[in-house]
Amino acid sequence: MQNEKMIVCRCEEVTYKELMETKKTYNCSARELKLRTRAGMGYCGGRTCRGMIDKIAMFQDSPKNNKEVSLKYQPPIRPVSFTDLGGVKQ
Amino acid sequence: MNKVIIIGAGPSGLEAAITCREQGLDVLVLDEYMIAGGRLLGQLYEQPDGTWWNGLEESKIRYEKALELGTRFLLNTPVNNIVQTNEHWTVYTDTESFTAKHLLLATGAAETPVPVPGWTLPGVMSVGAAQVMTNVHRVKPGNRGVIIGVNVLSTAIAMELKLAGIEVVAMTLPVNSQVTNESSQPKEVMNSLLHVSHMAPSKFIKLGSRLMKNDFMKNMGVTFFPKTGVKIWDIPIQLRKAVVEIYGDNEVQGVIVATIDSKGDVVGGSEEKIKADFVCIAGGLYPLAELAAVAGCSFYYSEELGGYVPLHSERMETNLDGLYVAGNITGIEGAKVAIAQGKTAGLTIAHHAGIPGLEKDIQTSIESIERARDKAYIQFHPGVKKGKELLLAEWQNRLGE
């Protein structure tokens, strides 16, 4: 297996190659990279791959924003079952 | 309504709970793990004075003290959202919500994943997971492991695995990619190891730490770093090799390592297989600040502190009313610093809750954070003090705006 086939976002099964190519084609921000590839939009809410998406987005001279978190966090920050979310009592 | 809610029952959360209870405040502590103690649970190492620091015991002592003082705990309870409304904070869990006037985020740190081809195979875990399995649950993660990532945390955990009778056949670097950067650069790794050389009973590393003060010597050190590695506690640490793939049909069967040059690039044709039944990935720690982000705190990125941290005062206040932070959410440091921060946060909360006469205690407590930092046995980043200074300057700067 080569680096290219390596999975970065496990939930959405987005590869390193796909992310690097998207970055090279559009020279996009972390947020745009997420929206274009769905990396970080899966079940875990980007808990695992967020930092990697950030790093890929910073590849090629993109300046680091040190005053704002680059990828927005949204609740729920932990998975919640539909039963619990809907307040359905078993 | 609760007076104080603390999210995180690690060293800082427990200390804050004890401090708040001693001041007579009503306290509820929530933690997503089933045992109180946080990352303290896994720690086991010999201190410079020859005594052992056993995190499991330390956690128990603090948890029981907090319970005795009447702290309420809800373990196994992840918090998925926090919202500020009027004069109080609402904390949401899967099934219930709680409100409090004062909310402390003591959520600690999480591990940075370092992807290597094949890292999604069963049997690959973070080094912290292997630590928790071994030291907390007393379950061997496997019999023969490889650790990818050479840093303070993974070196300490490798020793713990060894104490548990688990063979660690190699500690080596991850293969170079855009997402591994410093952790795959022999020189960077060597540099960070020099700062923990006092813990490493290896002549090479000890000798190295004295010699390699400048860049030229570091380059030479990496160039001449033995290809067979340096043994620390009998574990071969290899800075001149990297794992290029983790292989196995349905689970880990081994890793393919290759020789790398001093820049981290693979030397073609040098690949060899090492058999293993588990692989640990050690990418270091970053502050777990999701809830602070959801709440709308101001942030600051600091390499020295391990990533994005919520802006906060010396007294552990954030820029949002009634929201405080303590422990590794404010930067990656040891448990003793976290405990001192927890105490400061507890006193600050008591002060804001209207308990008079705490000013002197708060000042003393702030000084004790500084002392704990200076005396720290393990420094996760050599520049942590500078990182803290920059953060405080940024806090004062933005406060003025």
Side-chain angles (χ1 to χ4, degrees):
Chain A
M1 201 194 294
Q2 295 145 339
N3 244 351
E4 279 73 40
K5 285 187 198 155
M6 176 170 78
I7 298 278
V8 169
C9 170
R10 303 165 75 134
C11 303
E12 295 288 322
E13 296 188 349
V14 185
T15 62
Y16 179 72
K17 184 181 180 189
E18 190 181 344
L19 284 162
M20 288 299 279
E21 280 176 356
T22 307
K23 171 68 192 175
K24 280 175 195 158
T25 311
Y26 302 101
N27 191 23
C28 43
S29 65
R31 179 174 148 74
E32 192 180 334
L33 204 53
K34 176 181 98 169
L35 295 173
R36 284 187 183 278
T37 62
R38 290 201 56 83
M41 294 175 77
Y43 174 78
C44 84
R47 276 172 89 189
T48 312
C49 65
R50 170 187 298 270
M52 297 185 248
I53 298 169
D54 265 341
K55 277 182 182 161
I56 292 171
M58 277 187 285
F59 170 63
Q60 296 175 336
D61 65 27
S62 316
K64 175 109 208 157
N65 178 350
N66 74 348
K67 302 202 174 176
E68 232 176 281
V69 177
S70 62
L71 288 170
K72 200 180 162 199
Y73 284 93
Q74 295 189 92
I77 58 150
R78 291 289 178 277
V80 184
S81 75
F82 276 121
T83 311
D84 284 340
L85 198 61
V88 180
K89 294 272 182 287
Q90 295 278 333
Chain B
M1 189 163 110
N2 299 278
K3 200 90 183 181
V4 184
I5 293 178
I6 297 172
I7 303 176
S12 67
L14 288 175
E15 191 66 21
I18 291 168
T19 309
C20 287
R21 282 302 302 147
E22 283 171 347
Q23 297 299 328
L25 303 177
D26 174 40
V27 184
L28 171 67
V29 180
L30 301 165
D31 195 292
E32 60 184 332
Y33 200 55
M34 67 284 242
I35 308 168
R39 289 205 63 84
L40 188 53
L41 287 171
Q43 295 181 5
L44 183 65
Y45 62 87
E46 197 176 357
Q47 306 190 93
D49 63 4
T51 59
W52 283 76
W53 173 262
N54 181 350
L56 214 54
E57 285 298 316
E58 298 291 334
S59 304
K60 205 171 157 221
I61 293 166
R62 285 172 176 77
Y63 176 54
E64 282 171 1
K65 185 171 179 194
L67 277 178
E68 264 168 44
L69 287 166
T71 310
R72 285 182 304 132
F73 282 89
L74 276 177
L75 301 175
N76 219 351
T77 308
V79 170
N80 59 51
N81 193 15
I82 58 172
V83 177
Q84 187 180 30
T85 30
N86 301 323
E87 295 281 286
H88 64 268
W89 287 91
T90 304
V91 173
Y92 294 89
T93 71
D94 286 4
T95 52
E96 277 178 276
S97 61
F98 304 92
T99 54
K101 186 128 190 189
H102 305 278
L103 176 60
L104 171 64
L105 302 179
T107 46
E111 290 188 78
T112 309
V114 175
V116 169
W119 75 307
T120 49
L121 277 171
V124 181
M125 65 194 79
S126 74
V127 77
Q131 183 189 40
V132 169
M133 281 174 85
T134 310
N135 298 358
V136 182
H137 299 289
R138 306 290 160 111
V139 173
K140 284 185 177 182
N143 292 310
R144 209 181 133 84
V146 170
I147 298 179
I148 305 175
V150 180
N151 54 47
V152 187
L153 187 68
S154 69
T155 315
I157 297 175
M159 189 207 65
E160 295 171 8
L161 293 174
K162 206 164 160 54
L163 283 173
I166 299 162
E167 196 186 354
V168 179
V169 287
M171 268 185 86
T172 178
L173 305 186
V175 67
N176 207 350
S177 77
Q178 187 53 38
V179 278
T180 52
N181 45 35
E182 328 78 84
S183 64
S184 61
Q185 300 294 314
K187 197 171 126 190
E188 296 295 329
V189 175
M190 169 83 90
N191 194 17
S192 69
L193 274 186
L194 295 180
H195 294 278
V196 290
S197 59
H198 58 289
M199 330 169 24
S202 154
K203 282 198 189 105
F204 189 87
I205 299 275
K206 274 203 172 133
L207 184 73
S209 64
R210 260 178 266 135
L211 291 175
M212 288 184 260
K213 297 294 180 203
N214 63 50
D215 265 11
F216 173 75
M217 287 307 288
K218 275 176 207 157
N219 273 330
M220 295 292 283
V222 169
T223 308
F224 291 112
F225 194 88
K227 286 243 167 63
T228 49
V230 162
K231 285 202 170 179
I232 296 183
W233 300 295
D234 254 352
I235 300 159
I237 297 193
Q238 283 151 336
L239 299 186
R240 294 299 304 278
K241 285 187 180 169
V243 170
V244 293
E245 185 182 335
I246 303 166
Y247 70 88
D249 291 332
N250 296 309
E251 56 183 1
V252 172
Q253 288 172 318
V255 297
I256 300 173
V257 296
T259 302
I260 50 173
D261 61 22
S262 60
K263 292 197 169 61
D265 294 326
V266 170
V267 178
S270 65
E271 293 85 355
E272 55 176 318
K273 283 185 172 179
I274 297 178
K275 280 193 176 167
D277 61 0
F278 75 101
V279 171
C280 298
I281 292 187
L285 298 167
Y286 70 91
L288 194 59
E290 306 147 300
L291 288 171
V294 164
C297 278
S298 295
F299 272 84
Y300 182 66
Y301 181 87
S302 162
E303 196 72 49
E304 292 89 352
L305 301 179
Y308 286 102
V309 295
L311 269 189
H312 60 275
S313 68
E314 279 183 303
R315 307 161 73 99
M316 314 315 284
E317 305 147 305
T318 69
N319 64 316
L320 303 176
D321 272 348
L323 190 69
Y324 311 83
V325 285
N328 270 356
I329 188 176
T330 71
I332 305 305
E333 294 188 83
K336 289 176 186 176
V337 173
I339 291 167
Q341 289 176 325
K343 178 158 192 175
T344 306
L347 289 170
T348 302
I349 290 170
H351 169 79
H352 285 301
I355 292 166
L358 291 176
E359 196 50 45
K360 206 169 149 236
D361 290 342
I362 292 173
Q363 286 311 322
T364 311
S365 181
I366 290 171
E367 285 159 25
S368 76
I369 298 175
E370 206 61 36
R371 262 201 315 280
R373 183 168 293 138
D374 289 337
K375 283 199 298 189
Y377 177 50
I378 294 174
Q379 228 153 39
F380 287 87
H381 194 291
V384 67
K385 232 177 142 72
K386 188 183 146 228
K388 286 285 174 187
E389 280 162 19
L390 289 173
L391 181 86
L392 195 61
E394 184 67 21
W395 164 265
Q396 280 153 353
N397 197 7
R398 275 197 249 177
L399 214 60
E401 276 169 16

